[in-house]
Amino acid sequence: MTQPGSLDAPPTSGPLAGLRVIEIGVAMAGPYCAMTLGDFGAEVVKIERVGAGDDSRSWPPHFHGAMGYYYGSANRNKRSVALDLKSPEGAAIARKLIEGADILVDNYRIGALARAGLGWEVLRAANPRLIYCSVSGFGATGPRAEEPANDLFMQAYAGGMSITGEEGGGPVKMGMSVADIGAGMLATIGVMMAVEARHRTGRGQRVETSLLEGQMSMLAHFVTRYFASGEVPGPSGSGALTSPTYRAFRAADDWIVISAFNQRMWRGLCTALERPEWVDDPRFADAALRVANRLELIDLIGAVIATRRVTEWEMLLKSNEVPCCPINRIDKVVAEEQVAARSMVTEIDLPGLGAMRMAGLPVKLSETPAAIGLPPPRLGQHTAEVMRDAGYADAEIEALARRGAIGLDEGWREGDQPRRAG
């Protein structure tokens, strides 16, 4: 076997071109971080379990009966390598790949990678420039550090579910995977700050975040509200505890959101509702009075809104400069002209299967834009390719596969090497 090699791959024009990332992640938080780095040009290798891969591969529905939707949503722009990290040989391959990388992203339970010989101290000694990003449930320290957590668990534990839902009703989970994706976004920010610091120091560092810390940061104004008032925030339905004119109302045919959050908009709302006398009504004349008489005002506005259709209210409210919007379902959102104008639905080809539609790239850069060059990979699709790049001969690859240390995709001898679009 030759000396440790690099994860060589075709260059891209993205701002992170030249950075090499190893991801050891499952489901959403870690994979979302690594995908974002890949979208902007980093070369990402995803290490998955032999035989099973990322848990989310099996979650239905599937595109063309083969690509799990959840897996596909967080794993574009990556190459897949199947390794058994519980075997000494599989762990050794992972170490070798990480020694040639800039960034490691993982969202395994705290301590799991250390038990495989892939802990921070070991890897930092071998690669001082390594940025080691860990996304966990509770963080790396504290009494619950080694406990597992997931999105639903953390929405409950961190308090988000206690402020979601209708007043007087039961707890409601946020529809989006807000704990997972929030942690993945914060991990991406942390990695980029560590990359910038490395430009000055030449040294890598450990980057840590967690579902708990992500949720606490998102709850920032609820936490400060509690400390300021001593009152425990609760659910406020479609609106906000601080404003009765910032919520959804039922029109004659459907729901509409009104977000009149200042005095100018309050006057415009009263005009649109044909209730000009409310502007100076001593119950509603300023924001504090409207909050004090919140339930009464919600009922009054609701009774008026119920008399006309959503399209009529949109016209009236917008003509009075009051922000408003129907509550779109997903099928409506993906067909919106504005979504198309911002390229927020994109289609990619799954080789041998067909088209896959997914959410587009949310950040636009004028000089070094992101790109989708690689579709979500098949399990172990690039095991042989990456190992060859790292200096392994085909005979070694075959022997390791026979022993179960690695997993190979069909057709590996043909060198299935899809290339990133320019």
Side-chain angles (χ1 to χ4, degrees):
M1 192 159 50
T2 61
Q3 292 297 313
S6 64
L7 305 179
D8 292 327
T12 76
S13 59
L16 305 184
L19 287 179
R20 294 160 180 163
V21 180
I22 302 294
E23 177 212 309
I24 306 178
V26 295
M28 184 57 71
Y32 190 91
C33 170
M35 179 181 71
T36 303
L37 300 175
D39 287 347
F40 286 91
E43 296 292 336
V44 182
V45 168
K46 181 182 179 76
I47 293 177
E48 303 186 66
R49 292 174 296 166
V50 172
D54 187 321
D55 292 336
S56 66
R57 283 186 177 275
S58 64
W59 299 346
H62 289 73
F63 283 93
H64 311 290
M67 176 63 67
Y69 83 101
Y70 198 98
Y71 179 86
S73 71
N75 287 285
R76 66 192 177 210
N77 285 333
K78 301 178 186 180
R79 297 186 287 171
S80 171
V81 172
L83 299 178
D84 179 5
L85 296 181
K86 294 183 178 179
S87 74
E89 292 167 313
I93 295 167
R95 279 195 299 274
K96 183 175 183 180
L97 297 179
I98 295 167
E99 287 172 10
D102 296 282
I103 300 159
L104 171 65
V105 176
D106 94 90
N107 68 323
Y108 276 34
R109 288 173 63 176
I110 294 294
L113 292 189
R115 289 190 289 273
L118 301 174
W120 162 240
E121 297 297 340
V122 171
L123 296 176
R124 177 176 63 172
N127 181 0
R129 290 178 54 81
L130 179 68
I131 294 166
Y132 188 125
C133 178
S134 293
V135 185
S136 60
F138 289 95
T141 58
R144 306 190 72 162
E146 296 189 13
E147 291 185 29
N150 55 37
D151 186 87
L152 175 61
F153 181 109
M154 196 51 65
Q155 287 198 40
Y157 180 86
M161 286 179 68
S162 76
I163 59 169
T164 306
E166 294 295 332
E167 294 181 70
V172 176
K173 173 188 175 293
M174 180 72 175
M176 296 179 287
S177 297
V178 65
D180 276 339
I181 293 178
M185 289 179 173
L186 290 172
T188 305
I189 294 169
V191 166
M192 289 293 88
M193 289 190 288
V195 168
E196 182 61 26
R198 195 178 70 172
H199 291 325
R200 298 191 300 274
T201 67
R203 299 189 305 276
Q205 60 182 296
R206 188 167 188 180
V207 176
E208 296 178 27
T209 192
S210 66
L211 274 62
L212 171 61
E213 287 152 301
Q215 286 294 274
M216 291 297 293
S217 68
M218 290 185 181
L219 290 164
H221 73 280
F222 288 96
V223 173
T224 53
R225 175 191 172 98
Y226 166 68
F227 287 131
S229 68
E231 298 174 1
V232 178
S236 56
S238 64
L241 295 173
T242 54
S243 176
T245 58
Y246 187 86
R247 61 183 298 107
F249 292 92
R250 177 78 187 186
D253 58 338
D254 209 337
W255 290 87
I256 186 170
V257 162
I258 297 173
S259 51
F261 52 84
N262 61 31
Q263 198 66 13
R264 176 182 59 79
M265 293 175 185
W266 165 243
R267 290 192 295 270
L269 176 60
C270 293
T271 300
L273 297 176
E274 299 178 349
R275 298 295 189 277
E277 67 275 13
W278 288 356
V279 172
D280 299 316
D281 189 306
R283 297 169 296 173
F284 313 132
D286 61 31
L289 289 167
R290 291 193 289 275
V291 171
N293 296 286
R294 176 172 171 271
L295 296 179
E296 181 181 5
L297 182 54
I298 288 171
D299 286 343
L300 289 170
I301 295 173
V304 178
I305 294 295
T307 63
R308 295 185 178 184
R309 297 170 62 86
V310 167
T311 52
E312 296 177 79
W313 284 122
E314 278 194 279
M315 181 183 66
L316 286 167
L317 291 164
K318 288 180 179 179
S319 66
N320 285 281
E321 298 185 348
V322 178
C324 64
C325 179
I327 298 177
N328 291 330
R329 291 181 292 271
I330 298 298
D331 59 340
K332 178 72 160 46
V333 174
V334 298
E336 280 286 308
E337 291 184 3
Q338 183 61 32
V339 171
R342 298 301 295 167
S343 302
M344 282 312 299
V345 172
T346 190
E347 183 173 292
I348 61 177
D349 180 60
L350 299 174
L353 295 176
M356 172 183 173
R357 298 184 76 194
M358 65 191 310
L361 300 162
V363 178
K364 277 72 172 177
L365 301 182
S366 63
E367 302 301 321
T368 53
I372 301 174
L374 298 178
R378 301 185 301 272
L379 175 60
Q381 180 176 346
H382 308 96
T383 302
E385 172 190 336
V386 171
M387 290 184 66
R388 286 172 180 143
D389 288 345
Y392 290 86
D394 280 3
E396 293 176 287
I397 294 171
E398 287 181 330
L400 288 163
R402 285 195 299 270
R403 293 195 288 273
I406 66 172
L408 298 176
D409 184 56
E410 293 181 10
W412 70 275
R413 277 193 172 279
E414 284 69 43
D416 186 6
Q417 300 177 23
R419 293 312 190 197
R420 183 190 297 270

